[in-house]
Amino acid sequence: MDEFSLCPISHLLNLPDKEPAKSKGDQSLTTQSGLSRDSVSQYLQLRPDQSVLILHAKVAQKSYGNEKRFFCPPPCVYLSGLGWKLRQDHLKASGFGDSSCRVCGYMGLDNTGSAQVDTFKLTFEDQPGGKRFACAKALYISDADKRKHFRLVLKLFFSNGQEIGSFYSRLIKVISKPSQKKQSMKNADRSKVSLFNRLRSQTVSTRYLAVEGGAFVASARQWAAFTVTLVDEQQTEQGEYSLREGYVCYGCVLQLICTVTGVALPPMADPCQKDPGRELLNDGSCWTIIGTETVEYTFSESLACLQTAVTPIPVISTLELNGGGHVAMLEIHGESFGPHLKVWFGNVEAETMFRTPKSMLCVVPDVSVFSGEWRWLRRPITVPLSLIRLDGLIYSSNFTFTYTPEHTPPAQPTAAPECPADSDSLIDSIHQEFTRTNFHLFMQS
Protein backbone atom coordinates (compact mmCIF):
# COMPACT_ATOMS: atom_id res chain seq x y z
CA MET A 1 0.00 0.00 0.00
CA ASP A 2 1.34 3.40 -0.99
CA GLU A 3 0.52 6.33 1.26
CA PHE A 4 0.17 9.89 0.06
CA SER A 5 -0.42 13.01 2.14
CA LEU A 6 -2.11 15.99 0.56
CA CYS A 7 -2.99 19.19 2.41
CA PRO A 8 -5.15 20.93 1.46
CA ILE A 9 -7.17 20.08 -1.66
CA SER A 10 -10.01 22.26 -2.79
CA HIS A 11 -13.53 21.09 -3.49
CA LEU A 12 -13.11 19.70 -7.01
CA LEU A 13 -16.43 18.09 -7.81
CA ASN A 14 -19.40 19.21 -5.75
CA LEU A 15 -22.32 17.34 -7.26
CA PRO A 16 -25.76 18.23 -5.90
CA ASP A 17 -28.64 15.77 -5.79
CA LYS A 18 -29.55 16.78 -9.31
CA GLU A 19 -26.69 16.65 -11.80
CA PRO A 20 -25.89 19.96 -13.52
CA ALA A 21 -26.55 20.43 -17.19
CA LYS A 22 -23.63 19.56 -19.49
CA SER A 23 -22.54 21.21 -22.70
CA LYS A 24 -23.14 19.53 -26.05
CA GLY A 25 -19.42 18.86 -26.46
CA ASP A 26 -19.07 17.15 -23.08
CA GLN A 27 -17.90 13.54 -23.45
CA SER A 28 -19.38 12.47 -20.12
CA LEU A 29 -20.61 8.89 -19.96
CA THR A 30 -23.80 10.00 -18.23
CA THR A 31 -24.86 11.82 -21.38
CA GLN A 32 -23.52 9.41 -24.02
CA SER A 33 -24.47 5.98 -22.67
CA GLY A 34 -27.27 6.76 -20.25
CA LEU A 35 -25.18 5.68 -17.25
CA SER A 36 -26.08 7.14 -13.89
CA ARG A 37 -24.66 6.96 -10.39
CA ASP A 38 -27.53 4.66 -9.44
CA SER A 39 -26.86 2.20 -12.27
CA VAL A 40 -23.12 2.08 -11.51
CA SER A 41 -23.93 1.61 -7.80
CA GLN A 42 -26.09 -1.36 -8.72
CA TYR A 43 -23.22 -2.82 -10.74
CA LEU A 44 -20.83 -2.37 -7.80
CA GLN A 45 -23.23 -4.24 -5.52
CA LEU A 46 -23.88 -7.20 -7.83
CA ARG A 47 -20.54 -7.33 -9.71
CA PRO A 48 -21.90 -9.11 -12.82
CA ASP A 49 -18.42 -9.39 -14.36
CA GLN A 50 -17.14 -11.61 -17.13
CA SER A 51 -13.64 -12.97 -16.57
CA VAL A 52 -11.30 -14.70 -19.01
CA LEU A 53 -8.35 -16.53 -17.41
CA ILE A 54 -5.54 -17.88 -19.62
CA LEU A 55 -2.90 -20.27 -18.23
CA HIS A 56 0.19 -21.23 -20.21
CA ALA A 57 3.85 -22.19 -19.84
CA LYS A 58 6.60 -19.58 -19.89
CA VAL A 59 8.50 -21.46 -22.60
CA ALA A 60 7.60 -23.53 -25.65
CA GLN A 61 9.84 -26.13 -27.27
CA LYS A 62 10.20 -25.74 -31.02
CA SER A 63 9.20 -28.59 -33.36
CA TYR A 64 11.54 -29.67 -36.14
CA GLY A 65 10.68 -31.22 -39.48
CA ASN A 66 7.34 -33.01 -39.48
CA GLU A 67 7.24 -33.55 -35.71
CA LYS A 68 4.75 -31.70 -33.54
CA ARG A 69 5.92 -30.98 -30.02
CA PHE A 70 2.69 -29.89 -28.41
CA PHE A 71 2.95 -27.26 -25.73
CA CYS A 72 3.32 -28.79 -22.27
CA PRO A 73 1.29 -28.10 -20.25
CA PRO A 74 -1.42 -27.31 -22.82
CA PRO A 75 -2.73 -23.71 -22.69
CA CYS A 76 -5.99 -23.54 -20.72
CA VAL A 77 -8.88 -21.07 -20.64
CA TYR A 78 -11.38 -20.53 -17.82
CA LEU A 79 -14.51 -18.38 -18.16
CA SER A 80 -16.09 -17.25 -14.90
CA GLY A 81 -18.42 -14.62 -13.52
CA LEU A 82 -22.14 -13.96 -13.35
CA GLY A 83 -21.96 -11.74 -16.42
CA TRP A 84 -21.66 -14.65 -18.87
CA LYS A 85 -25.06 -16.04 -17.89
CA LEU A 86 -26.64 -12.58 -17.91
CA ARG A 87 -25.29 -11.97 -21.39
CA GLN A 88 -26.67 -15.28 -22.65
CA ASP A 89 -30.05 -14.53 -21.04
CA HIS A 90 -30.07 -11.18 -22.83
CA LEU A 91 -29.41 -12.89 -26.18
CA LYS A 92 -32.22 -15.36 -25.54
CA ALA A 93 -34.57 -12.50 -24.65
CA SER A 94 -33.63 -10.93 -27.99
CA GLY A 95 -34.94 -13.99 -29.85
CA PHE A 96 -31.85 -16.17 -30.15
CA GLY A 97 -32.11 -19.87 -29.34
CA ASP A 98 -29.86 -21.87 -27.04
CA SER A 99 -27.74 -23.02 -29.97
CA SER A 100 -26.95 -19.40 -30.85
CA CYS A 101 -25.91 -18.34 -27.35
CA ARG A 102 -23.02 -20.70 -26.70
CA VAL A 103 -19.54 -19.26 -26.16
CA CYS A 104 -17.10 -20.53 -28.79
CA GLY A 105 -13.43 -19.89 -29.31
CA TYR A 106 -10.22 -20.50 -31.20
CA MET A 107 -6.66 -20.33 -29.90
CA GLY A 108 -3.49 -19.94 -31.92
CA LEU A 109 -0.20 -18.12 -32.15
CA ASP A 110 -0.19 -14.41 -32.83
CA ASN A 111 0.73 -13.95 -36.47
CA THR A 112 3.32 -11.24 -37.06
CA GLY A 113 4.03 -12.35 -40.64
CA SER A 114 2.03 -13.37 -43.68
CA ALA A 115 2.24 -17.12 -43.11
CA GLN A 116 -0.92 -18.97 -42.17
CA VAL A 117 -0.93 -20.05 -38.53
CA ASP A 118 -2.90 -23.07 -37.36
CA THR A 119 -5.53 -22.51 -34.71
CA PHE A 120 -7.17 -24.91 -32.30
CA LYS A 121 -10.93 -24.94 -31.86
CA LEU A 122 -11.92 -24.82 -28.20
CA THR A 123 -14.80 -26.76 -26.70
CA PHE A 124 -15.94 -25.28 -23.39
CA GLU A 125 -17.12 -27.60 -20.65
CA ASP A 126 -19.18 -26.67 -17.60
CA GLN A 127 -17.25 -26.72 -14.32
CA PRO A 128 -18.36 -26.48 -10.66
CA GLY A 129 -19.07 -22.95 -9.50
CA GLY A 130 -20.41 -21.80 -12.85
CA LYS A 131 -17.00 -21.85 -14.56
CA ARG A 132 -16.31 -23.06 -18.09
CA PHE A 133 -13.09 -24.72 -19.13
CA ALA A 134 -11.29 -25.48 -22.39
CA CYS A 135 -7.72 -26.40 -23.31
CA ALA A 136 -5.75 -26.28 -26.56
CA LYS A 137 -4.09 -29.71 -26.60
CA ALA A 138 -2.57 -29.59 -30.09
CA LEU A 139 -0.77 -26.25 -30.33
CA TYR A 140 2.90 -26.19 -31.40
CA ILE A 141 5.46 -23.89 -33.04
CA SER A 142 7.41 -25.15 -36.04
CA ASP A 143 11.00 -24.44 -37.04
CA ALA A 144 9.66 -22.35 -39.94
CA ASP A 145 8.73 -19.73 -37.37
CA LYS A 146 11.97 -17.91 -36.60
CA ARG A 147 10.67 -15.84 -33.69
CA LYS A 148 12.38 -15.94 -30.30
CA HIS A 149 9.13 -14.97 -28.52
CA PHE A 150 5.42 -15.07 -29.33
CA ARG A 151 2.01 -14.73 -27.72
CA LEU A 152 -1.06 -16.90 -27.81
CA VAL A 153 -4.23 -15.26 -29.05
CA LEU A 154 -7.68 -16.38 -27.92
CA LYS A 155 -10.63 -15.35 -30.08
CA LEU A 156 -14.03 -15.62 -28.40
CA PHE A 157 -17.46 -15.22 -29.97
CA PHE A 158 -21.03 -16.39 -29.51
CA SER A 159 -22.32 -19.16 -31.73
CA ASN A 160 -24.60 -16.66 -33.49
CA GLY A 161 -21.44 -15.04 -34.88
CA GLN A 162 -21.32 -12.06 -32.52
CA GLU A 163 -17.70 -11.28 -31.66
CA ILE A 164 -16.63 -11.02 -28.03
CA GLY A 165 -12.98 -10.12 -28.50
CA SER A 166 -9.36 -11.22 -28.90
CA PHE A 167 -7.39 -11.94 -25.72
CA TYR A 168 -3.61 -12.32 -25.62
CA SER A 169 -1.35 -14.37 -23.37
CA ARG A 170 1.87 -13.13 -21.87
CA LEU A 171 5.09 -13.41 -23.83
CA ILE A 172 6.31 -17.00 -24.36
CA LYS A 173 9.98 -17.80 -25.00
CA VAL A 174 10.87 -20.29 -27.75
CA ILE A 175 13.50 -22.91 -26.82
CA SER A 176 15.09 -25.73 -28.82
CA LYS A 177 15.13 -28.12 -25.87
CA PRO A 178 14.74 -27.94 -22.07
CA SER A 179 17.74 -26.38 -20.36
CA GLN A 180 19.97 -28.67 -18.30
CA LYS A 181 21.66 -25.79 -16.51
CA LYS A 182 21.03 -25.13 -12.86
CA GLN A 183 19.25 -21.88 -12.15
CA SER A 184 21.46 -19.30 -10.46
CA MET A 185 20.35 -17.77 -7.19
CA LYS A 186 20.15 -14.29 -8.69
CA ASN A 187 17.62 -15.47 -11.26
CA ALA A 188 15.46 -17.35 -8.76
CA ASP A 189 11.98 -15.97 -8.23
CA ARG A 190 8.66 -16.86 -6.69
CA SER A 191 6.80 -17.30 -9.97
CA LYS A 192 3.97 -19.76 -10.48
CA VAL A 193 4.71 -23.31 -11.62
CA SER A 194 2.89 -26.38 -12.88
CA LEU A 195 3.78 -30.05 -12.45
CA PHE A 196 3.32 -33.04 -14.70
CA ASN A 197 4.13 -36.73 -14.41
CA ARG A 198 5.04 -38.96 -17.35
CA LEU A 199 5.46 -42.69 -16.70
CA ARG A 200 8.28 -44.36 -18.65
CA SER A 201 8.65 -41.18 -20.79
CA GLN A 202 5.41 -41.97 -22.63
CA THR A 203 3.65 -38.82 -23.86
CA VAL A 204 0.23 -40.48 -23.75
CA SER A 205 0.69 -41.15 -20.04
CA THR A 206 1.23 -37.47 -19.14
CA ARG A 207 -0.81 -36.33 -16.15
CA TYR A 208 -0.97 -32.80 -14.79
CA LEU A 209 -1.44 -31.76 -11.18
CA ALA A 210 -4.85 -30.10 -10.77
CA VAL A 211 -7.39 -29.29 -8.07
CA GLU A 212 -10.96 -30.61 -8.18
CA GLY A 213 -13.47 -30.42 -5.37
CA GLY A 214 -10.87 -29.17 -2.92
CA ALA A 215 -8.54 -32.13 -3.57
CA PHE A 216 -5.46 -32.66 -5.70
CA VAL A 217 -5.88 -34.89 -8.75
CA ALA A 218 -3.77 -36.03 -11.70
CA SER A 219 -5.58 -34.92 -14.85
CA ALA A 220 -4.90 -35.62 -18.50
CA ARG A 221 -6.22 -32.16 -19.54
CA GLN A 222 -6.61 -29.71 -16.68
CA TRP A 223 -3.78 -28.26 -14.64
CA ALA A 224 -3.34 -25.60 -12.00
CA ALA A 225 -0.71 -22.97 -11.32
CA PHE A 226 1.01 -23.35 -7.94
CA THR A 227 3.37 -21.38 -5.75
CA VAL A 228 6.21 -23.31 -4.12
CA THR A 229 6.42 -22.29 -0.46
CA LEU A 230 9.04 -23.08 2.18
CA VAL A 231 7.73 -24.20 5.56
CA ASP A 232 9.36 -24.93 8.91
CA GLU A 233 10.12 -28.57 9.59
CA GLN A 234 8.45 -28.44 12.99
CA GLN A 235 4.68 -28.46 13.25
CA THR A 236 2.73 -26.04 15.40
CA GLU A 237 0.57 -27.21 18.30
CA GLN A 238 -2.43 -27.33 15.93
CA GLY A 239 -0.53 -29.64 13.59
CA GLU A 240 0.05 -26.88 11.02
CA TYR A 241 3.26 -25.72 9.38
CA SER A 242 4.40 -22.10 9.40
CA LEU A 243 5.85 -20.42 6.31
CA ARG A 244 9.44 -19.20 6.21
CA GLU A 245 11.68 -17.20 3.91
CA GLY A 246 14.68 -18.55 2.02
CA TYR A 247 15.77 -20.45 -1.08
CA VAL A 248 14.55 -23.91 -2.02
CA CYS A 249 17.34 -26.44 -1.48
CA TYR A 250 17.56 -30.22 -1.37
CA GLY A 251 16.02 -31.52 1.83
CA CYS A 252 13.80 -28.48 2.41
CA VAL A 253 10.19 -28.97 3.49
CA LEU A 254 7.88 -27.56 0.83
CA GLN A 255 4.21 -26.94 0.24
CA LEU A 256 2.47 -26.44 -3.07
CA ILE A 257 -0.39 -23.94 -2.91
CA CYS A 258 -2.92 -23.56 -5.71
CA THR A 259 -3.06 -19.91 -6.83
CA VAL A 260 -6.80 -20.07 -7.56
CA THR A 261 -8.32 -22.19 -4.78
CA GLY A 262 -5.68 -21.77 -2.07
CA VAL A 263 -5.65 -25.54 -1.48
CA ALA A 264 -2.24 -26.74 -0.25
CA LEU A 265 -0.55 -30.12 -0.49
CA PRO A 266 0.82 -31.62 2.74
CA PRO A 267 4.54 -30.86 3.24
CA MET A 268 6.88 -33.09 1.12
CA ALA A 269 10.08 -34.47 2.58
CA ASP A 270 9.53 -38.21 3.13
CA PRO A 271 12.86 -39.65 4.45
CA CYS A 272 14.11 -43.13 3.59
CA GLN A 273 13.79 -45.54 6.52
CA LYS A 274 17.18 -47.16 5.88
CA ASP A 275 19.06 -43.92 5.25
CA PRO A 276 17.52 -40.76 6.80
CA GLY A 277 19.85 -38.64 4.66
CA ARG A 278 18.03 -39.72 1.51
CA GLU A 279 14.49 -39.24 0.27
CA LEU A 280 12.22 -42.12 -0.72
CA LEU A 281 10.92 -41.71 -4.28
CA ASN A 282 9.22 -43.94 -6.81
CA ASP A 283 8.30 -43.43 -10.46
CA GLY A 284 4.96 -41.92 -9.56
CA SER A 285 6.61 -39.48 -7.17
CA CYS A 286 8.84 -37.88 -9.82
CA TRP A 287 7.16 -34.81 -11.29
CA THR A 288 8.56 -32.36 -13.77
CA ILE A 289 8.22 -28.71 -12.81
CA ILE A 290 7.83 -25.88 -15.31
CA GLY A 291 7.33 -22.13 -14.94
CA THR A 292 3.89 -20.86 -15.93
CA GLU A 293 2.09 -17.57 -16.49
CA THR A 294 -1.50 -16.51 -15.91
CA VAL A 295 -3.31 -13.52 -17.33
CA GLU A 296 -6.87 -12.53 -16.47
CA TYR A 297 -9.18 -10.10 -18.25
CA THR A 298 -12.32 -8.78 -16.55
CA PHE A 299 -15.15 -6.73 -18.01
CA SER A 300 -18.91 -6.26 -17.64
CA GLU A 301 -21.49 -5.75 -20.37
CA SER A 302 -24.33 -5.34 -17.87
CA LEU A 303 -24.74 -1.58 -18.52
CA ALA A 304 -23.45 -1.50 -22.08
CA CYS A 305 -25.00 -1.29 -25.52
CA LEU A 306 -22.19 -2.89 -27.48
CA GLN A 307 -21.47 -2.32 -31.15
CA THR A 308 -17.84 -3.47 -31.05
CA ALA A 309 -15.66 -6.11 -29.35
CA VAL A 310 -14.79 -5.75 -25.67
CA THR A 311 -11.06 -5.85 -26.46
CA PRO A 312 -8.49 -4.43 -26.13
CA ILE A 313 -9.06 -4.49 -22.38
CA PRO A 314 -7.25 -1.73 -20.43
CA VAL A 315 -5.14 -2.86 -17.50
CA ILE A 316 -4.08 -0.59 -14.61
CA SER A 317 -0.59 -1.34 -13.24
CA THR A 318 0.32 1.61 -10.99
CA LEU A 319 -1.13 4.86 -9.64
CA GLU A 320 0.64 8.13 -8.91
CA LEU A 321 -0.78 11.16 -7.12
CA ASN A 322 0.26 14.54 -8.53
CA GLY A 323 -0.36 18.13 -7.53
CA GLY A 324 -1.72 19.69 -4.39
CA GLY A 325 -3.30 22.85 -3.14
CA HIS A 326 -6.36 23.49 -5.27
CA VAL A 327 -5.69 20.70 -7.80
CA ALA A 328 -5.20 16.97 -7.18
CA MET A 329 -4.51 14.74 -10.17
CA LEU A 330 -4.21 10.97 -10.26
CA GLU A 331 -1.89 9.63 -12.93
CA ILE A 332 -2.78 6.12 -14.05
CA HIS A 333 -0.21 3.86 -15.69
CA GLY A 334 -1.02 0.66 -17.54
CA GLU A 335 -1.82 -0.66 -21.00
CA SER A 336 -4.40 -0.29 -23.78
CA PHE A 337 -5.71 3.13 -22.70
CA GLY A 338 -7.61 5.38 -25.09
CA PRO A 339 -9.69 8.58 -25.29
CA HIS A 340 -12.84 6.43 -25.14
CA LEU A 341 -12.24 5.63 -21.44
CA LYS A 342 -13.28 7.49 -18.30
CA VAL A 343 -12.05 6.90 -14.77
CA TRP A 344 -14.72 6.30 -12.11
CA PHE A 345 -14.21 6.57 -8.36
CA GLY A 346 -16.92 4.27 -7.08
CA ASN A 347 -20.13 5.59 -8.65
CA VAL A 348 -18.66 9.01 -9.51
CA GLU A 349 -17.23 9.82 -12.92
CA ALA A 350 -13.95 11.76 -12.77
CA GLU A 351 -12.77 14.31 -15.29
CA THR A 352 -10.37 12.22 -17.39
CA MET A 353 -7.61 13.19 -19.81
CA PHE A 354 -6.00 10.68 -22.18
CA ARG A 355 -2.24 11.08 -22.62
CA THR A 356 -0.83 7.89 -24.20
CA PRO A 357 -1.93 4.26 -24.51
CA LYS A 358 0.00 3.70 -21.26
CA SER A 359 -0.92 6.83 -19.30
CA MET A 360 -4.05 8.77 -18.30
CA LEU A 361 -4.76 11.64 -15.90
CA CYS A 362 -7.90 12.32 -13.91
CA VAL A 363 -9.08 14.86 -11.38
CA VAL A 364 -9.61 13.41 -7.90
CA PRO A 365 -13.28 13.95 -6.94
CA ASP A 366 -13.88 15.75 -3.69
CA VAL A 367 -14.71 13.47 -0.79
CA SER A 368 -17.98 15.32 -0.16
CA VAL A 369 -19.35 13.70 -3.32
CA PHE A 370 -19.41 10.41 -1.41
CA SER A 371 -20.02 11.47 2.17
CA GLY A 372 -22.36 14.43 1.82
CA GLU A 373 -20.41 16.07 4.63
CA TRP A 374 -16.82 15.76 5.82
CA ARG A 375 -16.06 16.67 9.41
CA TRP A 376 -13.26 16.00 11.80
CA LEU A 377 -12.86 12.35 12.88
CA ARG A 378 -15.18 11.00 10.22
CA ARG A 379 -14.52 7.39 9.16
CA PRO A 380 -12.30 6.65 6.12
CA ILE A 381 -14.09 6.19 2.81
CA THR A 382 -12.78 3.63 0.32
CA VAL A 383 -14.06 3.49 -3.26
CA PRO A 384 -13.09 1.12 -6.08
CA LEU A 385 -11.43 2.44 -9.23
CA SER A 386 -12.91 1.43 -12.59
CA LEU A 387 -12.51 2.35 -16.23
CA ILE A 388 -15.73 2.70 -18.21
CA ARG A 389 -15.93 2.92 -21.98
CA LEU A 390 -18.12 5.49 -23.71
CA ASP A 391 -20.64 2.78 -24.65
CA GLY A 392 -21.01 1.74 -20.99
CA LEU A 393 -18.66 -1.26 -20.96
CA ILE A 394 -17.10 -1.52 -17.49
CA TYR A 395 -13.53 -2.60 -16.80
CA SER A 396 -13.08 -3.15 -13.07
CA SER A 397 -9.65 -3.11 -11.42
CA ASN A 398 -7.95 -4.36 -8.28
CA PHE A 399 -7.22 -0.81 -7.15
CA THR A 400 -9.12 1.23 -4.59
CA PHE A 401 -8.89 4.84 -3.44
CA THR A 402 -9.24 5.70 0.24
CA TYR A 403 -10.04 9.09 1.73
CA THR A 404 -8.87 9.24 5.36
CA PRO A 405 -9.63 12.32 7.50
CA GLU A 406 -7.14 13.97 9.79
CA HIS A 407 -7.37 12.82 13.40
CA THR A 408 -6.29 16.14 14.91
CA PRO A 409 -8.56 19.10 15.52
CA PRO A 410 -8.16 22.02 13.13
CA ALA A 411 -6.07 25.00 14.25
CA GLN A 412 -8.02 28.08 15.29
CA PRO A 413 -7.71 31.19 13.10
CA THR A 414 -5.91 34.23 14.46
CA ALA A 415 -8.84 36.47 13.68
CA ALA A 416 -12.27 35.28 14.74
CA PRO A 417 -14.61 34.93 11.74
CA GLU A 418 -18.02 36.41 11.68
CA CYS A 419 -20.24 34.20 13.85
CA PRO A 420 -22.91 32.35 11.80
CA ALA A 421 -26.47 32.27 12.97
CA ASP A 422 -26.37 28.79 14.51
CA SER A 423 -23.89 26.23 15.77
CA ASP A 424 -24.30 23.91 12.76
CA SER A 425 -23.38 26.72 10.41
CA LEU A 426 -20.35 27.51 12.59
CA ILE A 427 -19.17 23.91 12.36
CA ASP A 428 -19.68 23.94 8.60
CA SER A 429 -17.73 27.19 8.29
CA ILE A 430 -14.76 25.87 10.27
CA HIS A 431 -14.98 22.56 8.46
CA GLN A 432 -14.89 24.21 5.04
CA GLU A 433 -12.00 26.50 5.97
CA PHE A 434 -9.70 24.07 7.73
CA THR A 435 -10.66 20.40 7.58
CA ARG A 436 -12.85 19.78 4.60
CA THR A 437 -9.96 18.82 2.36
CA ASN A 438 -7.35 17.96 4.98
CA PHE A 439 -7.09 14.25 4.33
CA HIS A 440 -4.60 11.53 3.49
CA LEU A 441 -4.96 9.58 0.31
CA PHE A 442 -4.22 5.88 0.19
CA MET A 443 -4.05 3.71 -2.89
CA GLN A 444 -3.91 -0.02 -2.71
CA SER A 445 -4.13 -3.00 -5.01
Side-chain angles (χ1 to χ4, degrees):
M1 181 186 298
D2 298 322
E3 179 178 346
F4 297 85
S5 180
L6 188 62
C7 173
I9 298 177
S10 65
H11 176 69
L12 300 175
L13 290 179
N14 187 11
L15 297 182
D17 294 336
K18 180 173 64 176
E19 293 188 1
K22 300 181 182 292
S23 63
K24 293 183 179 179
D26 197 315
Q27 295 296 311
S28 171
L29 293 179
T30 55
T31 59
Q32 289 209 358
S33 65
L35 285 182
S36 65
R37 293 188 63 179
D38 288 340
S39 60
V40 176
S41 296
Q42 185 178 15
Y43 158 76
L44 293 173
Q45 291 177 356
L46 299 177
R47 290 287 186 176
D49 288 325
Q50 295 156 263
S51 294
V52 179
L53 177 64
I54 302 175
L55 290 80
H56 62 88
K58 282 187 174 182
V59 298
Q61 189 172 357
K62 181 178 291 189
S63 302
Y64 292 93
N66 295 325
E67 68 176 352
K68 296 181 180 180
R69 293 184 178 271
F70 299 140
F71 297 158
C72 181
C76 292
V77 179
Y78 287 90
L79 305 181
S80 62
L82 177 62
W84 289 109
K85 184 178 185 305
L86 294 179
R87 183 59 179 165
Q88 289 178 318
D89 291 343
H90 177 75
L91 290 175
K92 293 177 182 179
S94 301
F96 293 98
D98 291 343
S99 60
S100 300
C101 301
R102 297 194 308 270
V103 178
C104 305
Y106 285 90
M107 179 173 277
L109 281 61
D110 61 332
N111 187 8
T112 57
S114 58
Q116 180 67 30
V117 178
D118 293 335
T119 58
F120 185 89
K121 183 178 180 181
L122 299 176
T123 301
F124 286 96
E125 306 170 0
D126 291 334
Q127 297 280 303
K131 292 184 178 181
R132 293 177 186 143
F133 163 81
C135 76
K137 298 186 298 182
L139 282 182
Y140 66 96
I141 182 169
S142 69
D143 57 348
D145 195 328
K146 303 304 181 182
R147 289 179 291 176
K148 303 279 187 188
H149 298 84
F150 68 92
R151 283 185 171 89
L152 299 171
V153 57
L154 167 68
K155 296 182 181 294
L156 293 179
F157 54 91
F158 288 104
S159 50
N160 64 1
Q162 182 178 349
E163 181 184 8
I164 298 174
S166 298
F167 306 85
Y168 288 83
S169 73
R170 302 198 187 277
L171 210 59
I172 300 175
K173 181 180 179 180
V174 180
I175 60 174
S176 59
K177 60 181 180 179
S179 175
Q180 300 297 323
K181 295 181 180 180
K182 294 182 179 179
Q183 188 178 29
S184 64
M185 298 292 262
K186 67 178 182 179
N187 292 328
D189 58 21
R190 291 293 184 88
S191 60
K192 294 176 281 289
V193 300
S194 70
L195 291 91
F196 64 90
N197 176 271
R198 189 173 289 163
L199 296 178
R200 295 179 295 279
S201 299
Q202 297 296 317
T203 304
V204 293
S205 67
T206 303
R207 295 294 182 267
Y208 303 95
L209 189 61
V211 177
E212 290 183 4
F216 285 86
V217 297
S219 172
R221 300 176 66 244
Q222 294 193 62
W223 56 275
F226 299 92
T227 55
V228 180
T229 306
L230 281 172
V231 297
D232 288 329
E233 296 185 17
Q234 300 299 325
Q235 290 181 323
T236 64
E237 295 180 358
Q238 291 78 21
E240 299 176 350
Y241 287 81
S242 58
L243 306 183
R244 69 180 180 91
E245 295 294 329
Y247 292 102
V248 176
C249 303
Y250 182 83
C252 291
V253 180
L254 306 176
Q255 268 191 322
L256 292 177
I257 302 176
C258 177
T259 57
V260 175
T261 63
V263 177
L265 271 177
M268 298 179 288
D270 189 14
C272 179
Q273 297 295 331
K274 296 181 179 180
D275 187 354
R278 295 187 177 185
E279 308 301 322
L280 184 62
L281 298 175
N282 54 44
D283 200 21
S285 302
C286 298
W287 291 70
T288 303
I289 189 170
I290 184 171
T292 59
E293 291 280 12
T294 61
V295 57
E296 186 171 14
Y297 300 95
T298 302
F299 57 94
S300 177
E301 302 177 78
S302 59
L303 304 179
C305 183
L306 295 185
Q307 302 296 327
T308 60
V310 303
T311 53
I313 292 181
V315 178
I316 299 176
S317 57
T318 58
L319 304 174
E320 181 180 353
L321 188 67
N322 295 319
H326 295 287
V327 178
M329 306 291 293
L330 188 64
E331 185 170 358
I332 301 176
H333 303 279
E335 298 179 356
S336 302
F337 296 155
H340 58 287
L341 296 172
K342 298 291 184 180
V343 180
W344 282 63
F345 288 66
N347 63 355
V348 174
E349 178 187 347
E351 183 180 348
T352 306
M353 290 139 282
F354 168 72
R355 297 180 64 189
T356 70
K358 294 186 176 182
S359 176
M360 292 194 305
L361 284 174
C362 69
V363 179
V364 178
D366 190 78
V367 67
S368 61
V369 179
F370 307 99
S371 65
E373 59 180 14
W374 187 249
R375 298 177 179 175
W376 175 54
L377 288 182
R378 302 292 290 183
R379 61 177 177 81
I381 296 177
T382 299
V383 294
L385 288 180
S386 305
L387 300 178
I388 303 185
R389 211 165 68 175
L390 292 179
D391 58 2
L393 186 66
I394 301 176
Y395 302 106
S396 62
S397 78
N398 294 326
F399 287 84
T400 61
F401 195 91
T402 300
Y403 297 85
T404 302
E406 293 285 356
H407 288 268
T408 57
Q412 295 299 322
T414 55
E418 181 179 353
C419 185
D422 53 65
S423 59
D424 287 340
S425 299
L426 175 60
I427 294 176
D428 288 339
S429 176
I430 297 175
H431 156 67
Q432 179 178 3
E433 186 69 21
F434 297 102
T435 63
R436 184 177 194 172
T437 54
N438 253 354
F439 53 84
H440 289 199
L441 299 177
F442 292 87
M443 290 177 291
Q444 61 189 17
S445 61

